[in-house]
Coordinates of all heavy atoms in Angstrom, one line a residue:
K157 N 29.8 32.8 73.1 CA 29.9 34.1 73.7 C 28.7 34.9 73.3 O 28.0 35.6 74.1 CB 31.2 34.8 73.4 CG 32.4 34.2 74.0 CD 33.6 34.9 73.5 CE 34.9 34.2 73.8 NZ 36.1 34.9 73.2
L158 N 28.4 34.9 72.0 CA 27.2 35.7 71.5 C 25.9 35.2 72.1 O 25.0 36.0 72.3 CB 27.2 35.6 70.0 CG 28.1 36.5 69.2 CD1 28.1 36.1 67.7 CD2 27.7 38.0 69.3
A159 N 25.8 33.9 72.4 CA 24.6 33.4 73.0 C 24.6 33.7 74.5 O 23.6 33.3 75.2 CB 24.5 31.9 72.7
G160 N 25.6 34.2 75.1 CA 25.7 34.5 76.5 C 26.3 33.4 77.3 O 26.3 33.4 78.5
G161 N 26.7 32.3 76.6 CA 27.3 31.2 77.3 C 28.8 31.3 77.5 O 29.4 32.4 77.2
V162 N 29.4 30.3 78.2 CA 30.8 30.3 78.5 C 31.5 29.2 77.8 O 31.2 28.0 78.1 CB 31.0 30.2 80.0 CG1 32.5 30.2 80.4 CG2 30.3 31.3 80.8
P163 N 32.4 29.4 76.9 CA 33.1 28.3 76.2 C 34.2 27.8 77.2 O 34.9 28.5 77.8 CB 33.8 29.0 75.0 CG 33.8 30.5 75.3 CD 32.7 30.7 76.3
V164 N 34.2 26.5 77.3 CA 35.2 25.7 78.1 C 36.1 25.0 77.2 O 35.6 24.0 76.6 CB 34.5 24.8 79.1 CG1 35.5 24.0 79.9 CG2 33.6 25.6 80.1
I165 N 37.3 25.4 77.0 CA 38.2 24.9 76.0 C 39.0 23.7 76.6 O 39.6 23.8 77.7 CB 39.1 26.0 75.5 CG1 38.4 27.2 75.1 CG2 40.0 25.4 74.4 CD1 37.3 27.0 74.0
I166 N 39.0 22.6 75.9 CA 39.7 21.4 76.3 C 40.9 21.2 75.3 O 40.7 20.9 74.2 CB 38.8 20.1 76.2 CG1 37.5 20.3 77.0 CG2 39.6 18.9 76.7 CD1 37.7 20.6 78.5
P167 N 42.1 21.5 75.8 CA 43.3 21.3 74.9 C 43.5 19.8 74.6 O 43.5 19.0 75.5 CB 44.4 21.9 75.8 CG 43.8 22.6 76.9 CD 42.5 22.0 77.1
C168 N 43.7 19.6 73.3 CA 43.9 18.2 72.8 C 45.4 18.1 72.2 O 45.7 19.0 71.4 CB 42.9 17.8 71.8 SG 41.2 17.9 72.4
S169 N 46.1 17.1 72.7 CA 47.5 17.1 72.3 C 47.7 16.3 71.0 O 46.9 15.5 70.5 CB 48.3 16.4 73.4 OG 48.1 15.0 73.4
E170 N 48.9 16.5 70.4 CA 49.2 15.8 69.2 C 49.4 14.3 69.5 O 49.2 13.5 68.6 CB 50.5 16.4 68.6 CG 50.3 17.8 68.0 CD 51.5 18.4 67.5 OE1 52.3 17.7 66.8 OE2 51.8 19.6 67.7
A171 N 49.7 14.0 70.7 CA 49.9 12.6 71.1 C 48.6 11.8 71.0 O 48.6 10.6 70.7 CB 50.4 12.5 72.6
T172 N 47.4 12.5 71.1 CA 46.1 11.8 70.9 C 45.5 12.2 69.6 O 44.3 12.1 69.4 CB 45.2 12.3 72.0 OG1 45.0 13.7 72.0 CG2 45.7 11.8 73.4
G173 N 46.3 12.6 68.6 CA 45.8 13.0 67.3 C 45.0 14.2 67.3 O 44.1 14.4 66.4

Side-chain angles (χ1 to χ4, degrees):
K157 294 175 191 176
L158 280 171
V162 179
V164 176
I165 309 303
I166 307 300
C168 303
S169 73
E170 292 178 40
T172 61

